[in-house]
């Protein structure tokens, strides 16, 4: 498998502020990482694909100016929620694909964001 | 596109066996993943089936029928810690996985 970490695990912020979430691949150099969002009792929704050294690819309906993704190195991708609102409160999870020949994804532990 | 159908909730007794079914429709198919997700945690990989048939891995087994677009996850000797959501995800290749809502399993004493 792959070891993936996220920081912070929980964050509470005021409406209008920005929050940065880090995703690190600890034992594997990942050219691609994925960002998901999950609301309570809902499915994981893919937000974007983070590509090292190039722009992220966003899914339809996800505002790229609101959810800024930076994949500056092979082990780190960051997601910044800008001008956060209460409706952005969710569980944000990143993942890394590692195994060649399959698309097995290994997930980070997730970040619980609460916007007041 | 993809269409994934799983029961929303299931309840089973500790020590029993439970089967969680998944039917899917997808354009392009490589194999099928099962993940386990405990409340408030990220999903963890359980199994990946490429070929038809049953693959056993300890207390968990996963079955695939490619022609029927059908899979199931079989959990034996249920334990309380098995209470979680189980996510079925058909795979079309080296792309991010798309998940359905999953099946929320409650194991009771």
């Amino acid at each position: 498998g792959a070891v993936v970490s996220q920081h912070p695990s929980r964050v509470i912020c005021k409406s209008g502020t920005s929050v940065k979430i880090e995703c690190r691949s600890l034992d594997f150099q990942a050219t691609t990482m994925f960002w998901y969002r999950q609301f309570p009792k809902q499915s994981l929704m893919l937000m974007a694909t983070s590509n090292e050294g190039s722009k992220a690819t966003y899914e339809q309906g996800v505002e790229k100016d609101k959810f800024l993704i930076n994949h500056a190195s092979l082990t780190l991708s960051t997601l910044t929620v800008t001008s956060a609102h209460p409706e952005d409160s969710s569980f944000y999870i990143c993942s890394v694909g590692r195994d060649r020949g399959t698309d097995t994804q290994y997930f980070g532990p997730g970040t619980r964001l609460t916007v007041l | 596109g993809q269409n994934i159908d799983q029961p929303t909730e299931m309840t089973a007794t500790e020590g029993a066996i439970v089967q969680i079914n998944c039917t899917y429709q997808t354009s392009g198919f490589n194999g099928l993943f099962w993940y386990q997700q405990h409340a408030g945690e990220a999903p963890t990989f359980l199994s990946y089936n490429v070929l038809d048939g049953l693959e056993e891995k300890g207390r968990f087994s996963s079955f695939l029928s490619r022609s029927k677009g059908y899979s199931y996850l079989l959990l034996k000797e249920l334990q309380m810690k098995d209470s979680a959501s189980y996510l079925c995800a058909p795979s079309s290749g080296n792309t991010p996985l798309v998940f359905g809502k999953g099946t929320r399993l409650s194991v009771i004493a």
Side-chain angles (χ1 to χ4, degrees), chain B residues 68-96:
Chain B
K68 294 182 180 179
Y70 168 68
S71 174
Y72 67 73
L73 182 69
L74 191 70
L75 291 75
K76 303 177 184 177
E77 301 169 16
L78 279 174
Q79 301 175 9
M80 300 299 285
K81 67 178 183 180
D82 297 330
S83 294
S85 287
Y86 291 87
L87 312 176
C88 160
S91 163
S92 58
N94 293 321
T95 55

Side-chain angles (χ1 to χ4, degrees), chain B residues 11-25:
Chain B
T11 301
T13 307
E14 194 175 14
I17 299 173
V18 70
Q19 178 174 313
I20 302 174
N21 296 322
C22 170
T23 57
Y24 60 89
Q25 293 174 320

Side-chain angles (χ1 to χ4, degrees), chain B residues 38-64:
Chain B
H38 284 99
E41 298 180 11
T44 56
F45 170 78
L46 287 179
S47 66
Y48 179 57
N49 290 60
V50 176
L51 302 176
D52 284 352
L54 185 69
E55 291 194 10
E56 299 186 57
K57 192 187 295 184
R59 293 190 300 114
F60 292 9
S61 302
S62 54
F63 172 85
L64 176 66

